[in-house]
Amino acid sequence: STIVMRAINANSAKQLKKAVGCAPRGKRALWTLSVQVGTQSISPFMWAIETGSLEAAKAIIVDLLTIRADRDRYYYGMDILFERHPDVMRRLCTDAPALLPTLLDGLVWRSRTTENGRRRVNYYVKHLIVGVEGEFSNAIGWITDNKEPKIVCHPVMALVTDMLWSEVALRSFLLSKAWFLLTILVFSLSHVVLNKTQPDSEGFLSDDVLVLNAVCTGFIYICSMGQQVKSHAFATVEAIRGKDFFWYKSFPIPAYLGDWQGAASLALTVVLIFMLGFDPLLHCLGSDADHLFAEHCAGADHIRGVYSLLSSAAMLLYFLLITDLSVLSTRVSAYVLVCGWLLPEVLLSLCGMSFFIVGFACAISTLDQADPDFADIAQSALQLAKIVLVMFSGENYDELQKFPALMFAVASFMVISVVFLLNLLIAQLACAYQAIYLDMVGYARLNRGKIITETMPSVTEARWESFVERLKLDVPVEFGEGDMGLPGGIQVMEPASANITTVDAIRRFGGSTSPDAQWSHEDGYDDEDKFERLEKIIDKAMKRLSKSSGAGGQGLGSGSGSALGSGRSGNSGIDSVDSSNSASKELPGCPRPFRHEVPDGWADPLRTTGSASAVLTNLHLGHSAWCSRLGRPARVHMHVYMCAQL
């Protein structure tokens, strides 16, 4: 067990800082990423994640992604981290999503100085774009699968997704959608334009129209329906091979159908198959029609209505699937996603409205009334639906006055439906929109990241290599004018007021530049740790003395040579404190630059207060008020003085 592993098992960030502070600067990263146990190599970082020691894991990430520098070189653990764990993003998304912001923050460097109102910002995104072997990294896919809208809006992820989308994925996405757009145009031409062409004086369509309609119909069934059947067959086979299912009750369903695009595409395929079976053109082939491609014949009259309904459903599904193009604009995509999130609330309201319409229609049908508009359940339900949609005419309201019971029933329905249910729907939509408003851009970016992941396999290898070469990720990025920094990053100039930075993010050290030398000791822990330790010592002493005074013990003043006592019992030891501890006495043991006089009133409680707990309370309160005016070294010596008095 190494000191790093002991710190991880204790889940202590302070112990971990001290442990890695003992490592040579050239091997500091390896101490947290690789431990040799026999013939196996264990990663302390992954061990911390697997065991739930997230404080230690966070400290490791911060230590690895802190840029340190001596006079010869820079030290940065990004490359070592991603080379040792290429799937670190996936592991964090699965086991420790709370550490993702810490990791992404460590990939950003901002300059402390500004130039012409702009600030240098280096984003070290090499391993989020390029994999180990130069292929497309799956980091965006892992982040997208995590479905956390705030993470995908991080500046690092926003830069990576926007760059990949505009430079690589956009062209391939538009090419894939161009075929789908052509299919919609052909379908619209066949079922909207040509279907409404007026016949000639003899009641027949021209030969050109019939031939063009037959060509469009064949294109839809062969190119569109055939492609859809092929894609769903391959996706189903892949799901069976990979056992990628989700269960609906006791039925396994391929996982790709869990997405609404996959389900809508399957529904479109099924509708096109039914259209093929009910197509009048096929039913008229071989009949005694005047033309080979005629659609009007005796054998097709009984199926024409069903075919028109299927055509209408197919047209709606085509336009529903084309909403993928909203990803071209983040704002439009966010709007579309918000509509999708609010749609369940509208459906719930429609279900409630339908329930009341059916209920009141049945109730009105039992009344003794002779209004023809409310003759039966169907007529009553239709009229009530018209009332909700403000389609009920004024003359019909006048007829209701002849039947008081019917008038009362309709008025009750209007109060429930129009006043209550519609306003309830507005309140539900407002609350649901408020809940997702802050994250709607994040959900839009998640959708874009998903499309990027799905589109990248269609990008050619030559085009991908050209894109990576243009990024120049192997060239060091400047930290300043003439200060060549680290490779693997992309530099962006942002407004100086966007993210104000007053502290240099690079820790620079003088002295030896040997990789075997340790970093300065102050890199491990600072004076704040010492201050906290003194606080704990004082708290323990206060608790012990409070217990002894509460029990009425004899120990505070007894015993020869006691710091507080004179040998008397009870609290008399406090009264015997040397009166020389006055406000003019200097702190014992303090160096000259840090000596301060004891504040007025510190010694008085020791002489006048009758209980040790009150003394300690006054000491602690006096220390808190006085130390706010002193520097940190004086604060430390003030603690030493308090311990001496105790």
Side-chain angles (χ1 to χ4, degrees):
S1 178
T2 64
I3 55 177
V4 174
M5 294 298 292
R6 286 198 293 269
I8 291 174
N9 292 332
N11 195 21
S12 172
K14 293 182 180 179
Q15 293 184 23
L16 186 70
K17 292 179 183 179
K18 296 176 183 177
V20 298
C22 301
R25 62 185 65 178
K27 298 182 179 179
R28 184 177 179 121
L30 292 177
W31 276 37
T32 58
L33 294 176
S34 180
V35 173
Q36 196 69 27
V37 181
T39 59
Q40 295 183 348
S41 178
I42 298 177
S43 172
F45 174 57
M46 284 301 166
W47 177 262
I49 294 176
E50 292 173 358
T51 57
S53 302
L54 298 186
E55 287 295 328
K58 182 178 180 180
I60 291 175
I61 294 176
V62 172
D63 188 81
L64 286 172
L65 300 182
T66 298
I67 302 176
R68 300 178 177 86
D70 53 26
R71 296 191 308 274
D72 288 347
R73 62 182 65 87
Y74 288 99
Y75 292 86
Y76 188 43
M78 177 193 67
D79 289 333
I80 301 177
L81 173 62
F82 281 93
E83 289 172 2
R84 181 71 173 88
H85 302 292
D87 62 340
V88 61
M89 300 295 290
R90 180 181 63 82
R91 295 295 299 273
L92 290 181
C93 289
T94 303
D95 300 328
L99 299 181
L100 281 173
T102 304
L103 176 63
L104 295 177
D105 289 341
L107 301 178
V108 182
W109 172 85
R110 286 186 171 87
S111 175
R112 181 174 56 88
T113 60
T114 60
E115 303 173 9
N116 299 323
R118 312 287 288 179
R119 188 188 308 276
R120 294 176 184 262
V121 183
N122 294 350
Y123 294 94
Y124 293 95
V125 296
K126 174 182 178 181
H127 299 283
L128 300 182
I129 298 176
V130 184
V132 178
E133 299 180 357
E135 78 283 1
F136 170 67
S137 174
N138 201 30
I140 295 181
W142 294 326
I143 293 292
T144 303
D145 293 339
N146 191 38
K147 297 181 180 180
E148 178 54 49
K150 290 183 173 59
I151 291 297
V152 80
C153 288
H154 192 278
V156 173
M157 297 306 304
L159 176 71
V160 172
T161 53
D162 290 345
M163 187 183 306
L164 288 171
W165 172 252
S166 60
E167 298 290 336
V168 183
L170 177 59
R171 184 190 303 178
S172 300
F173 175 74
L174 291 178
L175 289 176
S176 64
K177 289 299 178 181
W179 179 259
F180 193 76
L181 290 173
L182 178 61
T183 303
I184 294 179
L185 291 176
V186 172
F187 190 89
S188 301
L189 177 63
S190 173
H191 293 79
V192 178
V193 179
L194 298 179
N195 192 33
K196 301 300 181 182
T197 303
Q198 296 296 327
D200 55 16
S201 58
E202 298 180 358
F204 298 102
L205 295 175
S206 64
D207 294 343
D208 296 338
V209 172
L210 293 176
V211 171
L212 182 58
N213 183 53
V215 171
C216 293
T217 302
F219 178 85
I220 294 296
Y221 292 140
I222 296 174
C223 299
S224 178
M225 187 187 72
Q227 182 187 16
Q228 295 283 342
V229 171
K230 177 183 175 182
S231 63
H232 284 287
F234 283 162
T236 304
V237 171
E238 289 295 328
I240 294 174
R241 289 178 178 176
K243 297 181 179 179
D244 191 10
F245 295 97
F246 72 92
W247 293 85
Y248 178 74
K249 296 184 179 180
S250 59
F251 298 98
I253 299 176
Y256 81 95
L257 295 178
D259 191 9
W260 72 267
Q261 285 100 339
S265 178
L266 179 62
L268 176 61
T269 305
V270 173
V271 170
L272 290 177
I273 292 174
F274 277 100
M275 285 181 62
L276 178 62
F278 287 93
D279 196 326
L281 179 62
L282 299 180
H283 283 266
C284 289
L285 288 177
S287 63
D288 55 352
D290 296 332
H291 197 278
L292 177 63
F293 300 117
E295 291 186 340
H296 296 274
C297 61
D301 292 339
H302 65 285
I303 61 172
R304 193 175 303 280
V306 178
Y307 182 76
S308 64
L309 292 176
L310 293 173
S311 300
S312 177
M315 182 62 74
L316 290 176
L317 290 172
Y318 270 121
F319 275 90
L320 179 63
L321 288 172
I322 207 174
T323 55
D324 275 352
L325 292 177
S326 63
V327 76
L328 297 176
S329 171
T330 304
R331 186 172 182 180
V332 176
S333 180
Y335 175 78
V336 173
L337 291 173
V338 167
C339 292
W341 279 85
L342 298 181
L343 186 60
E345 303 295 335
V346 178
L347 295 178
L348 285 175
S349 180
L350 290 178
C351 290
M353 189 70 70
S354 301
F355 173 79
F356 280 103
I357 288 176
V358 174
F360 273 89
C362 294
I364 289 174
S365 299
T366 62
L367 294 177
D368 184 13
Q369 49 88 18
D371 193 327
D373 293 333
F374 296 89
D376 52 20
I377 295 178
Q379 286 289 333
S380 300
L382 178 61
Q383 300 306 318
L384 293 177
K386 288 182 178 180
I387 291 175
V388 175
L389 299 175
V390 198
M391 297 172 62
F392 201 67
S393 63
E395 292 80 3
N396 293 333
Y397 280 112
D398 294 336
E399 291 293 328
L400 294 178
Q401 297 179 5
K402 300 178 182 179
F403 310 99
L406 178 60
M407 184 69 179
F408 178 77
V410 171
S412 301
F413 173 77
M414 293 179 63
V415 170
I416 294 176
S417 61
V418 178
V419 178
F420 176 68
L421 289 181
L422 292 183
N423 285 282
L424 179 61
L425 174 61
I426 295 172
Q428 284 179 309
L429 294 178
C431 293
Y433 181 79
Q434 185 178 9
I436 65 174
Y437 172 75
L438 298 177
D439 294 330
M440 65 180 184
V441 176
Y443 286 114
R445 288 194 172 275
L446 283 174
N447 187 35
R448 175 174 288 185
K450 176 186 174 184
I451 292 178
I452 290 174
T453 305
E454 295 174 350
T455 306
M456 289 307 296
S458 62
V459 177
T460 61
E461 184 177 354
R463 190 155 170 264
W464 171 251
E465 291 177 353
S466 175
F467 166 72
V468 174
E469 185 178 355
R470 290 197 306 271
L471 294 180
K472 298 180 180 180
L473 296 175
D474 295 330
V475 178
V477 183
E478 288 185 341
F479 286 132
E481 194 69 29
D483 184 8
M484 298 306 295
L486 297 162
I490 298 173
Q491 187 169 102
V492 177
M493 301 296 291
E494 70 176 15
S497 59
N499 295 279
I500 299 176
T501 304
T502 58
V503 180
D504 190 2
I506 303 176
R507 297 189 180 184
R508 303 180 184 272
F509 299 88
S512 174
T513 61
S514 172
D516 296 330
Q518 300 176 0
W519 292 114
S520 175
H521 186 64
E522 63 183 5
D523 185 58
Y525 59 94
D526 51 16
D527 291 337
E528 199 66 32
D529 297 331
K530 302 176 183 178
F531 182 77
E532 292 180 2
R533 288 199 299 273
L534 284 174
E535 288 280 2
K536 292 181 180 179
I537 293 174
I538 293 172
D539 290 340
K540 291 180 181 179
M542 291 176 63
K543 290 179 181 179
R544 288 199 300 267
L545 292 178
S546 297
K547 290 180 180 179
S548 61
S549 63
Q554 308 292 328
L556 276 175
S558 63
S560 60
S562 173
L564 295 177
S566 62
R568 290 181 294 173
S569 62
N571 296 324
S572 59
I574 298 176
D575 298 331
S576 65
V577 174
D578 188 3
S579 61
S580 62
N581 288 336
S582 62
S584 62
K585 183 174 181 179
E586 294 182 342
L587 298 181
C590 293
R592 272 291 172 186
F594 304 125
R595 284 197 175 189
H596 296 272
E597 292 184 352
V598 181
D600 294 337
W602 271 40
D604 293 339
L606 294 175
R607 295 191 301 269
T608 60
T609 308
S611 72
S613 60
V615 171
L616 295 169
T617 303
N618 290 331
L619 278 174
H620 192 68
L621 293 176
H623 159 266
S624 300
W626 180 253
C627 285
S628 62
R629 304 186 318 190
L630 305 180
R632 176 166 293 178
R635 289 167 60 190
V636 174
H637 287 294
M638 196 67 71
H639 276 290
V640 175
Y641 173 75
M642 290 177 62
C643 293
Q645 291 295 332
L646 293 177

